[in-house]
C-alpha cells in the first residue's frame, strides 16, 4: 500500500538540541497528523493540521502543513530524553460527514543522548 | 475516559487457524478503523466501520473481515492465518477527523 516518505529512518541528537522531520507525499491530503509511538504502545496523536500553510504548536512541538498539501514538517525544540520514540506522519482526506483512512509514513526513530 | 481499549494484548496462533481481535472505542466515538503494523513499518489501513457497516477497505484479502456492534465496539477476524500475518494490530476510533489509537494486539503466527 501507499506510504508517505519519511527520512532518514533514524536520527540521533543531543539533549537540548532542536530537531526537524519532514514528510512528503505524491498525493494531496487535506489533513496532516503527527503521531509518536513508544515500544509496546499504539501511536499517540501529537498535532493535527487542517489547512494548507497552517503552523500549529503543542508545547515544544511545532508542525506545519505544506502549501502544496503534499508535505508537512515537525519540529521539536530543546529535546529531552522522553522525546525518544518513533515519529509518524499521516495524511488524510477528510470529507464532510465522513472519516477517511490514514496513510502513514514508515516513521523516524529518534534517539536523544543525555 | 478509558480511551481506546483492545484485547487481547498478545496472542500466539498456529498457521491456518482463525483469530478474533476486539476493540472498544473512545467514549463518544462512532467510527472504528483497523490497521496492521509490521515490524519497522508504519500502520497500514485494513478497513473502517461506521454505523455497523464496512465503509472503506484497504488492500487486504477477504481473509480479513470485521464487525461493528450497536455500542460501536468492533471485532477484527482473520481466517486461515499465514506467517506473514504476524504484526501489531491497531484499532483507532474517531468522531470527526482525529483518530485515537489503542495499544494494539501483538499477533504472532507460528
Amino acid at each position: 500500500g501507499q506510504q508517505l516518505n519519511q527520512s532518514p529512518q533514524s536520527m540521533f541528537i543531543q539533549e537540548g538540541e532542536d530537531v526537524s522531520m519532514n514528510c512528503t507525499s505524491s498525493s494531496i491530503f487535506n489533513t496532516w497528523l503527527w503521531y509518536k509511538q513508544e515500544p509496546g504502545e499504539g501511536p499517540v496523536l501529537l498535532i493535527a493540521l487542517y489547512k494548507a500553510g497552517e503552523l500549529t504548536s503543542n508545547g515544544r512541538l511545532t508542525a506545519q502543513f505544506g502549501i502544496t498539501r503534499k508535505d508537512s514538517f515537525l519540529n521539536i525544540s530543546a529535546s529531552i530524553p522522553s522525546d525518544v520514540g518513533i515519529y509518524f506522519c499521516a495524511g488524510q482526506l477528510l470529507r464532510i460527514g465522513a472519516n477517511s483512512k490514514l496513510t502513514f509514513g514508515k516513521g523516524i526513530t529518534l534517539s536523544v543522548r543525555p | 475516559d478509558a480511551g481506546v481499549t483492545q484485547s487481547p494484548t498478545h496472542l500466539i496462533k498456529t498457521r491456518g487457524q482463525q483469530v478474533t481481535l476486539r476493540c472498544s472505542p473512545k467514549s463518544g466515538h462512532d467510527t472504528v478503523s483497523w490497521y496492521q503494523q509490521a515490524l519497522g513499518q508504519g500502520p497500514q489501513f485494513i478497513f473502517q466501520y461506521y454505523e455497523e457497516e464496512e465503509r472503506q477497505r484497504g488492500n487486504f484479502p477477504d481473509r480479513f473481515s470485521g464487525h461493528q456492534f450497536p455500542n460501536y465496539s468492533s471485532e477484527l477476524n482473520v481466517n486461515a492465518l499465514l506467517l506473514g500475518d504476524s504484526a501489531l494490530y491497531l484499532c483507532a476510533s474517531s468522531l470527526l477527523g482525529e483518530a485515537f489509537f489503542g495499544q494494539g494486539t501483538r499477533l504472532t503466527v507460528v
Side-chain angles (χ1 to χ4, degrees), chain B residues 8 37 43-44 52 58 61-63 72 75 86 101 103:
Chain B
Q37 187 177 21
Q44 292 285 318
E52 302 179 52
D62 292 344
R63 297 187 297 109
Y72 306 122
E75 289 182 349
S86 295
F101 285 83
Q103 84 282 7

Side-chain angles (χ1 to χ4, degrees), chain B residues 40-56:
Chain B
Q41 301 293 318
Q44 292 285 318
F45 176 75
I46 302 175
F47 43 52
Q48 182 183 89
Y49 277 85
Y50 172 72
E51 291 189 342
E52 302 179 52
E53 290 191 357
E54 184 183 289
R55 181 161 67 179
Q56 198 176 7

Side-chain angles (χ1 to χ4, degrees), chain A residues 3 35 37 50 99 101-102, chain B residues 35 37 44 48 97-99:
Chain A
Q3 281 194 325
Y35 288 86
Q37 188 175 27
Y50 298 104
N99 294 293
K101 67 176 183 178
L102 296 176
Chain B
Y35 292 81
Q37 187 177 21
Q44 292 285 318
Q48 182 183 89
E98 301 169 8

Side-chain angles (χ1 to χ4, degrees), chain A residues 1-3 9 33 35 37 40-45 48 50 88 92 94-95 97-107, chain B residues 30-31 33 35 37 40-45 48 50 55-56 58-59 88 90 94-104:
Chain A
Q2 178 194 6
Q3 281 194 325
Q9 190 173 356
L33 305 105
Y35 288 86
Q37 188 175 27
E41 301 293 327
V44 173
L45 181 63
Y50 298 104
F88 290 98
Q92 186 180 35
L94 268 185
R95 297 182 295 273
N99 294 293
S100 70
K101 67 176 183 178
L102 296 176
T103 300
F104 281 85
K106 286 190 175 183
Chain B
D30 58 5
T31 302
S33 302
Y35 292 81
Q37 187 177 21
Q41 301 293 318
Q44 292 285 318
F45 176 75
Q48 182 183 89
Y50 172 72
R55 181 161 67 179
Q56 198 176 7
N59 189 25
L88 180 67
L90 294 162
S94 55
L95 179 60
L96 290 171
E98 301 169 8
F100 293 85
F101 285 83
Q103 84 282 7

Side-chain angles (χ1 to χ4, degrees), chain A residues 22-70:
Chain A
N22 78 319
C23 180
T24 61
S25 170
S26 57
S27 305
I28 288 174
F29 293 103
N30 60 17
T31 301
W32 285 88
L33 305 105
W34 285 90
Y35 288 86
K36 178 187 177 186
Q37 188 175 27
E38 297 184 33
E41 301 293 327
V44 173
L45 181 63
L46 300 173
I47 292 181
L49 303 154
Y50 298 104
K51 187 177 178 182
E54 178 184 356
L55 187 71
T56 297
S57 293
N58 178 10
R60 294 179 296 105
L61 276 59
T62 302
Q64 185 158 28
F65 190 142
I67 292 176
T68 65
R69 293 188 286 163
K70 290 184 178 182

